[in-house]
Amino acid sequence: MKRLGPLATLLAGLLLGLFMLSLNATTGEKTASSSYESPDTKASPKPSGTSPAPSPTNSPTKPPPAPVPDADYAGRTDDDSASVAVTTEDGKAVAYYCDGRTKEAWLKGDVEDDGSMRLTGKNGAELNGTLKQGKRISGTVTVGGGRQAFTADRSKEPALYRATTTVNGTETDGGWIVQADGTQVGILNRAGKPSPAPRIDPETGAVTVDGRQLTARPVSP
């Protein structure tokens, strides 16, 4: 019995050592696992010196200009000495200036999206105008070196007529402006010599020149 005492003590010490090693190993695993953080749980670092991206805003856009209407405009110069008519179609315009006696001019050009226009004709004739809200053209017209302001209101019926033909062997060219109140003004050129034009029938365009009936037709650009 005395010899078994030291052996039992040795075995007891070995068992105690194994128990302590097992305990330390278990405690180390728990400590390591508790200090580990999943990448998903880590807070993302905030960049320094940067501002958050602004949220998109809907900036107001300017509506496109209204298309220039196809229409006729008739009026007079501010000094009431001559008439002016303008016809617009597909962004182009043709105009006629006439004093009903000897002075006239035909002019053509483009109409811009904002309603402005610069029309030109022979011998330096020029019309600069602006169409306002599709109802009225205001501006200046220069014919024969003189500049005059004018205003032409929109017409429900054609305002500008022309007839070009040969009458009794003479080249004849006539231009007419029909105002909204039915009054007319025109010039008839016979072989380049201007004179007041006879009246036309606005509904049919019929006009008699030197005993011959002609047809004046509405003018388009």
Side-chain angles (χ1 to χ4, degrees):
M1 293 299 292
K2 291 181 180 179
R3 294 183 177 178
L4 292 176
L7 181 59
T9 301
L10 179 60
L11 289 173
L14 290 174
L15 290 173
L16 179 61
L18 290 174
F19 175 76
M20 294 301 294
L21 289 174
S22 176
L23 181 62
N24 288 338
T26 304
T27 305
E29 290 178 1
K30 289 182 178 181
T31 302
S33 63
S34 63
S35 62
Y36 175 78
E37 293 183 19
S38 171
D40 294 336
T41 61
K42 287 185 178 181
S44 301
K46 295 182 179 180
S48 60
T50 60
S51 302
S55 58
T57 57
N58 295 325
S59 57
T61 57
K62 186 177 180 180
V68 176
D70 298 345
D72 285 74
Y73 304 83
R76 297 185 63 81
T77 57
D78 288 1
D79 60 9
D80 204 31
S81 65
S83 293
V84 178
V86 182
T87 299
T88 59
E89 184 177 305
D90 296 333
K92 296 185 178 298
V94 58
Y96 183 50
Y97 168 95
C98 174
D99 69 355
R101 297 181 298 276
T102 59
K103 187 183 290 186
E104 66 173 353
W106 290 94
L107 311 100
K108 288 185 177 183
D110 295 329
V111 183
E112 303 299 331
D113 291 341
D114 61 359
S116 63
M117 61 189 75
R118 178 179 178 272
L119 314 182
T120 57
K122 294 181 179 179
N123 303 318
E126 184 174 317
L127 183 150
N128 290 280
T130 302
L131 174 60
K132 299 179 180 179
Q133 300 179 345
K135 297 179 180 180
R136 172 178 294 181
I137 298 175
S138 298
T140 61
V141 58
T142 302
V143 177
R147 178 178 297 179
Q148 297 168 278
F150 77 93
T151 301
D153 293 323
R154 185 166 178 172
S155 302
K156 296 181 179 180
E157 303 295 336
L160 185 53
Y161 292 81
R162 191 172 191 177
T164 302
T165 188
T166 300
V167 179
N168 300 328
T170 302
E171 293 184 2
T172 303
D173 182 19
W176 290 265
I177 295 174
V178 179
Q179 302 285 356
D181 61 2
T183 59
Q184 298 183 19
V185 61
I187 286 181
L188 193 66
N189 277 282
R190 297 178 178 88
K193 295 180 180 181
S195 62
R199 286 181 59 86
I200 64 170
D201 181 349
E203 293 186 2
T204 63
V207 57
T208 301
V209 177
D210 295 338
R212 178 179 172 184
Q213 184 170 321
L214 309 179
T215 300
R217 303 187 184 280
V219 179
S220 60

